[in-house]
Amino acid sequence: MKKILDSQGRLFGKLSILDVGAALVILLVVVGIFFFPGTSGSVAQLGVTTKPIEVDVVVRGLSIRNPQELIKEFQTKKKTDIIIRNQPYGQVDIKSVKELSRSVVVPQPDGSVKALPDPRKDTFSTDMLITLAGKAQITANGPVLGNNKIKVGMPLELEGFEYDFNASVIDVRIKS
């Protein structure tokens, strides 16, 4: 009877055990890819509903020479790109833009303080309230845009052809 393995580790004197193992692994990979491809899509998205949401963001201290031009661009284009946690999400609609008046705290003679409109007009700093609208997946933990939860206090980055700045989420509304 012939030996199955010889002294050099060859099977029946002709094939190396490593060659047989490599061929077996390749065969299993091919069978796994073509005969058991798995399901398409993510398991995490099964049973998740998509609803329209509105997100209010506030921009504080944006350094800009002419804020009216930026507001006009928002109102004409009606769309902006957002980036959530350094991950580009895509475009969302701009529902409204409102420039917020700046105020300063002024001490009064009786020791109290009052917030009065800022008389300086050359500060090149503006505050805005922007309402964004889009479709989000609604999960048990809240709305999700681009695999990121949208919650109050979260920073968003708004980006367009002539602008790129950060804003902070102050309100999230799920529309039905």
Side-chain angles (χ1 to χ4, degrees):
M1 182 161 159
K2 228 178 186 185
K3 284 184 168 180
I4 295 178
L5 291 175
D6 63 4
S7 62
Q8 294 176 345
R10 295 189 177 269
L11 192 62
F12 300 114
K14 296 185 181 195
L15 294 174
S16 170
I17 292 180
L18 294 175
D19 293 338
V20 171
L24 187 61
V25 168
I26 292 171
L27 179 69
L28 289 174
V29 168
V30 169
V31 167
I33 290 174
F34 292 113
F35 294 110
F36 302 103
T39 60
S40 62
S42 172
V43 176
Q45 295 179 359
L46 294 176
V48 176
T49 59
T50 302
K51 290 187 178 181
I53 65 166
E54 288 182 358
V55 179
D56 287 337
V57 296
V58 68
V59 180
R60 293 272 184 201
L62 179 62
S63 298
I64 186 168
R65 179 181 295 267
N66 190 351
Q68 296 307 318
E69 284 184 26
L70 181 63
I71 291 172
K72 184 178 176 184
E73 181 179 345
F74 282 150
Q75 291 171 342
T76 57
K77 291 192 177 177
K78 299 268 186 201
K79 291 198 177 288
T80 187
D81 290 321
I82 63 169
I83 300 169
I84 307 168
R85 294 188 180 149
N86 293 329
Q87 300 295 319
Y89 168 72
Q91 284 195 336
V92 293
D93 296 328
I94 299 174
K95 270 191 92 169
S96 67
V97 181
K98 178 182 174 187
E99 187 174 5
L100 301 174
S101 62
R102 297 196 58 129
S103 60
V104 292
V105 178
V106 179
Q108 300 298 305
D110 65 354
S112 64
V113 292
K114 258 189 191 178
L116 298 175
D118 191 352
R120 300 172 294 169
K121 296 297 177 195
D122 60 348
T123 59
F124 301 112
S125 179
T126 191
D127 299 339
M128 290 186 288
L129 177 65
I130 304 171
T131 302
L132 306 172
K135 294 203 178 267
Q137 297 174 348
I138 308 302
T139 65
N141 295 328
V144 175
L145 285 175
N147 296 328
N148 288 302
K149 296 176 199 165
I150 299 296
K151 296 191 176 200
V152 172
M154 182 176 173
L156 293 181
E157 187 175 343
L158 279 70
E159 182 177 24
F161 184 71
E162 295 181 347
Y163 60 89
D164 184 4
F165 58 86
N166 292 326
S168 183
V169 175
I170 60 170
D171 190 21
V172 178
R173 295 180 297 281
I174 301 170
K175 299 294 183 176
S176 53

